[in-house]
Amino acid sequence: MEVLVAPDTYHVSPEPILMIADLHGALALCLHDEGRAVGGLLHLRFMGGSGRPSDVTDNTLTSVLVVLDRFKRAVLGNALPSEEIQARIIAHALPPTSDMEPSASLVDLIRADLADTKIACGTQMTRRTESIRVCFQPAEGRAWICGPNDLRSARAAQRSAG
């Protein structure tokens, strides 16, 4: 089964499903609790709608932290963060222009929040004009950038494993 995670929403599951997020000026935070075999994908757009990272404002900070907190509770439950928690941010932004880039972006904000709760987080930023598709298997904690052909092979692998 596949679940398309819309922008500014998240999905959490212990089931062997495939979560998908199409990113354009957005990020996917994939969070996995190996001990409980549950994971989730949070899909957030960069603010500003430009497709480029924008400055983190007080309003952005407040709304993102509320959603991020709900998402972490949905994945982790009441468990304290441990070495069994894995986090990965995959982000898409347009190539840089001559305009100044912000000193702190949404990716930086989320990484700092995760670091505060002792969750290590890998980050991958892709800067190109074409959108990217992120695939995540929450029960196993596997996340990757995929294209249409990769998605078909992921479905086949999922059927044979399930």
Side-chain angles (χ1 to χ4, degrees), residues 61-104:
L61 181 65
T62 301
S63 62
V64 168
L65 289 178
V66 167
V67 172
L68 183 59
D69 186 55
R70 286 182 188 150
F71 172 65
K72 288 189 306 188
R73 275 186 288 161
V75 174
L76 306 177
N78 294 326
L80 295 174
S82 69
E83 292 180 7
E84 294 182 328
I85 309 300
Q86 303 165 8
R88 183 168 174 202
I89 296 172
I90 301 174
H92 171 273
L94 292 174
T97 64
S98 59
D99 298 341
M100 293 287 293
E101 291 282 329
S103 58

